[in-house]
């Protein structure tokens, strides 16, 4: 690990000020479950760490419109166990419990989870070219081992996937990210606009500015309906998703009155398709309709050889989740 400067912030404004003075070479640290590993491997080499663990960002509180404000330092364990989250946002609690180990969930924070980096093998191997780690150096994954890689939203510069389970659930719930900049300007960023597709600059993963701090995540009022989070992985615990599907579906008179779907493990960001949701909304659930939804979702899917299996796996997982959420069973 390379040497770095360290500062402990006592306020949000102090944290953003400390981080902005070192431009893009400063990083915030709280749980450190991903960042410290990356620093040990010299995949990330920040010149300065700004410790934000003393900030008052650990509360889960109701919002005026009936939603929920989750402080950026709320741990994944506390968030998954929160009574309101378990009752009103069950898909989020289930996604959190499907991610990492108990020990990691006790340390990992809401803000840090949103910013965890890809698990692409080549991103972690500093001997291999990687456009995300070293812009312009090339993508070793293309033509390499691609079991974990993207089938949607990738580019010729990067085919890595986003690893977070929590972010997939946040995406299906329509969350917004609350931030604070060094100029003391706050903003709310819809999670749907928070992550950038790789294009020709995969090293730029979010719309955050240098020194901009995530202070909370805002959830809208509870959506009701049936909440499902299904994660397909290589082993029963402590593995990243090959494919995951988050669903919130409200039924009315036997029809799907409201459909919200998000997908993980298949794209560089949590993936949501308004076209697929529109196709299903207002319709009677049926296997043929589920097939049409999968066809639409995967129309532009492209495998890289080692991850070709993700295309039929996504199809089967979506069908099973829709069947479960609409009361048709889960054996579709």
């Amino acid at each position: 690990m390379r040497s770095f400067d360290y500062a402990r912030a006592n306020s949000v404004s102090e944290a953003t000020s400390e981080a902005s003075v070192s431009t893009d070479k400063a990083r915030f640290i709280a749980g450190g479950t991903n960042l410290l590993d990356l620093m040990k491997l010299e995949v990330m080499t920040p010149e300065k760490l700004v410790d934000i663990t003393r900030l008052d960002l650990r509360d889960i509180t109701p919002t005026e419109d009936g939603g929920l404000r989750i402080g950026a330092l709320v741990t994944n364990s506390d968030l998954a166990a929160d009574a309101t989250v378990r009752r009103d946002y069950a898909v989020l609690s289930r996604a959190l419990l499907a991610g990492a180990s108990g020990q990691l969930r006790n340390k990992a924070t809401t803000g840090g989870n949103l910013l965890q980096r890809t698990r692409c093998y080549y991103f972690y191997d500093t001997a291999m070219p990687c456009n995300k780690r070293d812009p312009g150096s090339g993508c070793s994954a293309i033509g390499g081992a691609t079991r974990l890689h993207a089938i949607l939203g990738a580019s010729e510069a990067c085919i890595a996937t986003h690893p977070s389970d929590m972010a997939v659930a946040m995406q299906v719930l329509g969350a917004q990210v609350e931030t604070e900049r060094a100029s003391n300007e706050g903003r709310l960023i819809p999670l749907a606009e928070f992550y950038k597709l790789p294009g020709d600059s995969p090293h730029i993963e979010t719309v955050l500015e240098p020194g901009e701090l995530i202070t909370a995540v805002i959830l809208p009022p509870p959506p009701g309906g049936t909440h499902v989070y299904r994660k397909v992985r290589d082993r029963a615990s402590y593995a990243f998703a090959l494919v995951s599907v988050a669903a919130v579906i409200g039924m009315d008179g036997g029809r799907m009155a409201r459909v919200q779907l998000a997908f993980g493990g298949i794209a560089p960001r949590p993936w949501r398709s308004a076209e697929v949701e529109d196709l299903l909304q207002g319709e009677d659930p049926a296997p043929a309709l589920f097939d049409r939804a999968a066809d639409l979702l995967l129309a532009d899917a492209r495998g890289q050889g080692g991850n070709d299996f993700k295309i039929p796996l996504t199809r089967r997982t979506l069908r099973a989740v829709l069947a479960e959420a609409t009361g048709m069973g889960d054996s579709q």
Side-chain angles (χ1 to χ4, degrees), residues 48-326:
K48 184 175 188 178
L49 291 185
V50 180
D51 186 336
I52 59 172
T53 55
R54 287 186 176 176
L55 304 188
D56 184 19
L57 301 173
R58 298 182 185 278
D59 292 331
I60 302 173
T61 53
T63 61
E64 291 184 357
D65 68 351
L68 207 62
R69 182 182 186 275
I70 302 163
L73 294 181
V74 174
T75 67
N76 287 181
S77 291
D78 287 346
L79 185 57
D82 182 81
T84 302
V85 172
R86 293 178 64 188
R87 183 190 64 221
D88 296 336
Y89 305 95
V91 67
L92 175 57
S93 180
R94 291 168 187 165
L96 285 161
L97 293 175
S101 65
Q103 288 173 313
L104 286 169
R105 291 196 296 270
N106 287 341
K107 290 294 293 181
T109 62
T110 299
N113 192 309
L114 291 178
L115 297 178
Q116 64 178 303
R117 310 297 300 275
T118 181
R119 262 57 184 181
C120 174
Y121 325 112
Y122 304 100
F123 175 71
Y124 279 78
D125 186 348
T126 56
M128 303 295 288
C130 171
N131 287 320
K132 187 180 285 294
R133 174 173 29 80
D134 184 12
S137 62
C139 177
S140 301
I142 297 176
T146 56
R147 180 172 176 76
L148 296 179
H149 290 76
I151 56 173
L152 289 169
S155 73
E156 294 303 315
C158 182
I159 59 172
T161 53
H162 185 76
S164 172
D165 292 291
M166 186 195 77
V168 177
M170 295 285 196
Q171 181 77 296
V172 83
L173 291 168
Q176 298 185 89
V177 183
E178 179 188 282
T179 70
E180 189 79 17
R181 290 174 278 193
S183 57
N184 291 324
E185 294 176 274
R187 59 172 174 162
L188 278 179
I189 307 168
L191 192 61
E193 301 171 9
F194 184 76
Y195 297 109
K196 303 185 72 169
L197 290 178
D200 58 3
S201 55
H203 60 293
I204 304 173
E205 297 177 338
T206 73
V207 299
L208 290 177
E209 299 173 1
E212 188 170 8
L213 175 67
I214 295 174
T215 52
V217 173
I218 311 296
L219 298 182
T226 299
H227 292 217
V228 176
Y229 186 77
R230 184 169 296 208
K231 178 178 180 178
V232 183
R233 48 192 165 182
D234 281 328
R235 57 180 184 270
S237 66
Y238 200 14
F240 293 93
L242 296 170
V243 172
S244 67
V245 180
V248 178
I249 296 181
M251 302 294 290
D252 185 7
R255 296 192 171 187
M256 294 179 283
R258 187 184 63 256
V259 178
Q260 296 167 235
L261 296 167
F263 302 84
I266 62 173
R269 66 184 182 194
W271 196 261
R272 193 168 175 182
S273 169
E275 292 78 11
V276 172
E277 294 176 7
D278 289 345
L279 173 71
L280 295 165
Q281 203 144 289
E283 301 292 334
D284 293 327
L289 178 64
F290 299 165
D291 280 337
R292 286 171 55 203
D295 288 342
L296 185 57
L297 173 70
L298 297 167
D300 295 325
R302 178 187 171 195
Q304 299 285 338
N307 66 345
D308 288 351
F309 73 95
K310 283 191 175 184
I311 298 174
L313 181 61
T314 303
R315 171 182 294 277
R316 291 196 301 272
T317 308
L318 174 59
R319 285 176 50 132
V321 166
L322 290 172
E324 180 182 353
T326 57

Side-chain angles (χ1 to χ4, degrees), residues 9-24:
N10 293 297
S11 67
V12 168
S13 60
E14 191 175 311
T16 55
S17 177
E18 288 282 0
S20 65
V21 297
S22 294
T23 62
D24 61 345

Side-chain angles (χ1 to χ4, degrees), residues 1-5 25 38-47 49 126:
M1 183 183 291
R2 299 185 190 181
S3 61
F4 55 87
D5 294 331
K25 286 294 186 180
L38 292 167
M39 291 175 66
K40 290 174 185 174
L41 295 169
E42 298 192 352
V43 174
M44 293 180 69
T45 55
E47 296 172 359
L49 291 185
T126 56

